[in-house]
């Protein structure tokens, strides 16, 4: 997860897309504290912070030598401040990664619309951002532009080359990658099938693209371009005094539908006009963190006796044994025998367990392989009953379903691009969420009777309707 920080003159004009003609003196966040932003991110489980260094209005949060439309023309810090610098230092001190957003569309700069001149201008600003502030791990680009605006060509390939030259470790995000792709909506929801495999040439940045392709990826894709889900904690992307944040239970729902579907979650939490993240947003993030910790801090699978239909190697070779799936990390995994086509993993418990969440991980350094899988549970008559099905796994897959009880579980890989590998299995009890349907296909109707609806203090009425 990463924390997105939309901040700029829009914060002070109660707007989303600025005109580029607002007097920069309006920008004056008197209490700005980048350390507070970073502390909020770190305390609640985010590994990266991403700042809108320049949004569509062209106002720059650093003192760019290419324009006066920046913090140096504002009242903040008497025109001598640099928000990018303050955030970079705070992130570095906290051990968090830093990402930056530099809008291609610029409603202020006079040369916008002059293809060659503006591309040089944009690359000059990008060079400033990538050479002044230490290591940058992520660059967010998009093709957003209003109807009727000046038409021009962006030299994306040149931009990408410059970024990779100046910051070799940076991941570039856009509709079409090249490193991370947009999932195709701003609702924070990925497809139930979601491949990291993709063909960047099939998508145009800023153009009309097949939303299904962006959400689901490509089983036969030639490039590794994981999807990212971006969504705001509030209705808007910039802070507005009349708006309220989503509830923690809504964020948990989005977590299942983004992180739990092999995606990164980029959650926007916009600082307010004082320059701080609002207390009400912090409270929701705290509750969201507590919900995740409550659910995922106890993996019931760790108490299971594990076995498999087959294991690669001989009986003395533990490198690929089924017991590896309860270890943390991607570099230990269960591998079935390559000569077998039945791929099953068994979990036996000494007593009946109650659960409603399945977590799977693949060792993605070996590729994304699993196409389809399902989970069975042993009923009171000693017969296997189909519980839930899923498709892709990838880095992390979470399935939430109606609560069931059993002492024996069977994970079956139904279809795989190559010999399937599983690095982690988690079994959890989520007492807060109410499954609206079985996560990917269906559950035997007899087990619906085991559904448990537990009330909490959280406001279910705000639960995501997506």
């Amino acid at each position: 997860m990463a924390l997105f920080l939309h901040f700029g003159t829009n914060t002070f004009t109660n707007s989303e897309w600025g005109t580029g003609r607002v007097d920069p003196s309006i920008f004056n966040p008197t209490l700005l504290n980048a350390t507070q932003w970073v502390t909020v991110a770190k305390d609640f489980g985010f590994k990266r912070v991403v700042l809108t260094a320049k949004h569509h209005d062209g106002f720059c949060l650093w003192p760019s030598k290419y324009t006066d439309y920046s913090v140096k023309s504002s009242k903040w810090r008497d025109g001598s401040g640099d928000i990018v610098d303050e955030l970079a230092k705070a992130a570095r001190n906290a051990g968090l990664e830093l990402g930056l957003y530099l809008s291609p569309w610029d409603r202020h700069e006079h040369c916008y619309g002059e293809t060659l001149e503006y591309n040089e201008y944009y690359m000059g600003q990008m060079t400033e951002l990538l050479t002044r502030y230490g290591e940058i791990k992520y660059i967010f680009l998009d093709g957003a532009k209003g109807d009727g605006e000046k038409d021009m060509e962006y030299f994306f390939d040149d931009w990408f080359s410059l970024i990779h030259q100046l910051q070799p470790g940076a991941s570039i995000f856009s509709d079409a990658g090249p490193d991370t792709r947009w999932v195709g909506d701003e609702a924070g929801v990925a497809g139930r099938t979601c491949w990291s495999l993709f063909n960047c040439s099939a998508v145009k940045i800023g153009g009309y693209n097949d939303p299904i392709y962006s959400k689901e990826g490509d089983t036969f894709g030639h490039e590794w371009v994981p999807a990212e889900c971006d969504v705001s904690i509030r209705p808007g992307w910039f802070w507005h005094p009349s708006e309220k944040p989503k509830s923690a239970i809504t964020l948990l729902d989005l977590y299942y539908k983004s992180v739990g579907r092999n995606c990164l979650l980029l959650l926007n939490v916009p600082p307010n006009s004082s320059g701080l993240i609002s207390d009400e947003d912090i409270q929701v993030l705290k509750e969201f963190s507590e919900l995740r910790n409550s659910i995922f801090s106890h993996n019931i699978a760790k108490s299971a006796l594990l076995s498999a239909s087959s294991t690669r190697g001989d009986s003395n070779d533990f490198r690929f044994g089924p017991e590896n799936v309860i270890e943390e990390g991607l570099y230990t995994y269960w591998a079935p025998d390559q000569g077998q086509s039945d791929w099953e993993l068994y979990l036996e418990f000494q007593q009946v367990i109650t659960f409603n969440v399945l977590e799977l991980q693949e060792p993605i350094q070996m590729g994304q392989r699993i196409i389809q899988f399902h989970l069975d549970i042993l009923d009171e008559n000693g017969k296997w009953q189909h519980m839930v099905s899923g498709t892709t796994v990838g880095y992390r897959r979470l399935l939430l379903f109606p609560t069931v009880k059993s002492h024996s579980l069977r994970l079956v890989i139904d279809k795989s691009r190559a010999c399937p590998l599983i690095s982690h299995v988690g079994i959890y009890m989520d007492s807060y969420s109410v499954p609206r349907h079985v996560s990917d296909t269906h559950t035997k109707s007899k087990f619906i009777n085991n559904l448990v609806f537990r009330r909490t203090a959280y406001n279910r009425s705000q639960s995501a309707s997506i």
Side-chain angles (χ1 to χ4, degrees), residues 220-257:
F220 306 103
H222 297 293
E223 294 153 304
W224 184 268
V225 191
E228 179 177 282
C229 298
D230 56 332
V231 65
S232 184
I233 195 171
R234 290 165 173 255
W237 289 89
F238 284 88
W239 177 82
H240 305 288
S242 63
E243 293 182 351
K244 301 298 180 182
K246 295 176 172 64
S247 68
I249 202 71
T250 296
L251 295 186
L252 179 63
D253 180 64
L254 292 173
Y255 184 82
Y256 278 111
K257 294 174 180 176

Side-chain angles (χ1 to χ4, degrees), residues 359-376:
E359 175 190 35
L360 296 177
Q361 286 187 290
E362 290 181 275
I364 56 172
Q365 71 276 11
M366 308 290 286
Q368 190 178 358
R369 303 180 175 212
I370 296 172
I371 297 174
Q372 188 171 343
F373 64 92
H374 72 270
L375 180 69
D376 296 332

Side-chain angles (χ1 to χ4, degrees), residues 285-302:
L285 292 174
K286 179 176 184 293
E287 293 171 359
F288 175 43
S289 176
E290 290 170 348
L291 283 173
R292 298 194 322 273
N293 291 336
S294 174
I295 296 165
F296 299 110
S297 62
H298 175 58
N299 183 5
I300 303 171
K302 289 186 176 182

Side-chain angles (χ1 to χ4, degrees), residues 181-213:
R181 75 179 192 267
W182 187 38
V183 78
D185 63 44
E186 293 183 342
V189 177
R192 291 190 177 94
T193 295
C194 192
W195 293 99
S196 294
L197 299 167
F198 198 67
N199 286 324
C200 294
S201 60
V203 174
K204 181 180 179 181
I205 302 174
Y208 174 78
N209 298 301
D210 180 357
I212 301 301
Y213 190 75

Side-chain angles (χ1 to χ4, degrees), residues 104 119 141-143 153-161 174 205-206:
N119 273 277
L141 301 174
D142 63 15
E153 179 186 358
Y154 299 137
F155 295 168
F156 282 115
D157 288 341
D158 292 333
W159 298 0
F160 297 161
S161 178
S174 80
I205 302 174

Side-chain angles (χ1 to χ4, degrees), residues 104-122:
W105 181 30
D106 191 319
R107 305 187 77 179
H108 174 83
E109 181 52 40
H110 68 87
C111 70
Y112 186 85
E114 302 294 331
T115 296
L116 183 59
E117 186 179 354
Y118 181 73
N119 273 277
E120 291 178 344
Y121 173 86
Y122 186 90

